[in-house]
Amino acid sequence: MQAEIDRRRLLIGLPAAMAGLTLVSDPPQAQEAGGSSTLVAYFSRSGNTRVIALHVRRIRQAALFEIEPAIPFPEDYEQTVAQARRDIDEGHLPELAQTVEDISRYDTIYLGLPIWGMTAPSVVRAFLRAHDLSGKILHPFITHGGYGLGDSMDIIRTFAPRADVQPPFSMEADQERKTMEQVRGWLSA
Ligand SMILES: Cc1cc2nc3c(=O)[nH]c(=O)nc-3n(C[C@H](O)[C@H](O)[C@H](O)COP(=O)(O)O)c2cc1C
């Protein structure tokens, strides 16, 4: 409930400070030290990439930022697949729910994303386009459902042309489609 109210405040454009929000959550140590120079920014629909993001955040004592579209993706899986495909085909970059305040604070960025349609989701492209990542060290971490990274690394390099993009960490992870099919079988739906 509170999160929803906070989100609405953000959407109507109140500055985060006025809404009492920290859009990027710093680890306590970093706040005490006056700021962290490492950021973990991630997009995750079903949670696989988020689990990695939280581990990276803890191990690197980094700040955390969730990449989200201003208009959330549909809850329905098939509708999300269709929208993802349309966005990529049309080159549409969705508006972001929020951007990182003062990206210049960070010199190293861990970027987490799932593979959608054998590529990087449009909202991740929008994140890269919206921030000046010149000279920053970018460590991608990528989850996929078993079909590999597609052209996602080329896309990351294209949308962050001045970042120093490092080799990715990648992992096969559960597919929501398989989970959905098993649950449908169980419920005969
Ligand atoms: C819209 C959509 C498209 C997907 N396309 C692919 C794909 O092309 N190749 C693949 O291996 N996995 C694909 N997947 C599976 C996800 O990449 C995989 O489950 C990922 O770990 C999900 O991460 P998340 O839980 O952080 O959202 C797709 C999932 C969704 C929702």
Side-chain angles (χ1 to χ4, degrees):
M1 185 64 187
Q2 185 60 41
E4 185 55 28
I5 293 169
D6 289 344
R7 177 185 285 281
R8 299 227 169 280
R9 278 184 180 149
L10 284 172
L11 289 180
I12 60 173
L14 277 182
M18 279 174 70
L21 297 175
T22 310
L23 298 183
V24 178
S25 68
D26 283 320
Q29 293 86 333
Q31 277 171 349
E32 283 161 21
S36 163
S37 65
T38 302
L39 176 71
V40 177
Y42 72 97
F43 169 62
S44 182
R45 170 179 158 89
S46 53
N48 299 334
T49 313
R50 178 175 299 112
V51 171
I52 300 172
L54 295 177
H55 282 300
V56 176
R57 186 232 182 152
R58 192 167 42 78
I59 292 166
R60 287 284 183 257
Q61 287 297 314
L64 188 69
F65 178 82
E66 182 168 5
I67 300 169
E68 296 173 290
I71 300 171
F73 285 106
E75 192 179 316
D76 180 81
Y77 175 83
E78 298 297 354
Q79 286 178 16
T80 301
V81 170
Q83 184 176 323
R85 173 61 28 223
R86 258 196 324 274
D87 280 355
I88 297 301
D89 288 349
E90 295 169 6
H92 173 67
L93 297 184
E95 195 183 326
L96 297 168
Q98 62 254 339
T99 52
V100 176
E101 248 184 291
D102 198 6
I103 193 85
S104 65
R105 281 178 65 186
Y106 306 102
D107 50 31
T108 302
I109 297 176
Y110 288 83
L111 175 74
L113 59 141
I115 294 297
W116 277 15
M118 298 309 288
T119 190
S122 56
V123 69
V124 173
R125 300 171 182 214
F127 171 84
L128 294 173
R129 181 60 56 79
H131 297 85
D132 180 8
L133 304 182
S134 307
K136 299 188 188 300
I137 300 168
L138 192 64
H139 295 278
F141 57 98
I142 305 176
T143 69
H144 61 87
Y147 302 100
L149 301 186
D151 69 0
S152 57
M153 286 302 293
D154 287 341
I155 293 294
I156 290 169
R157 287 189 207 98
T158 301
F159 279 78
R162 283 181 287 278
D164 178 4
V165 180
Q166 299 294 305
F169 169 73
S170 69
M171 248 188 77
E172 180 175 343
D174 286 347
Q175 284 181 30
E176 186 176 341
R177 179 185 294 285
K178 276 194 189 150
T179 304
M180 189 178 70
E181 284 165 1
Q182 290 190 32
V183 173
R184 278 192 183 148
W186 170 46
L187 300 177
S188 310

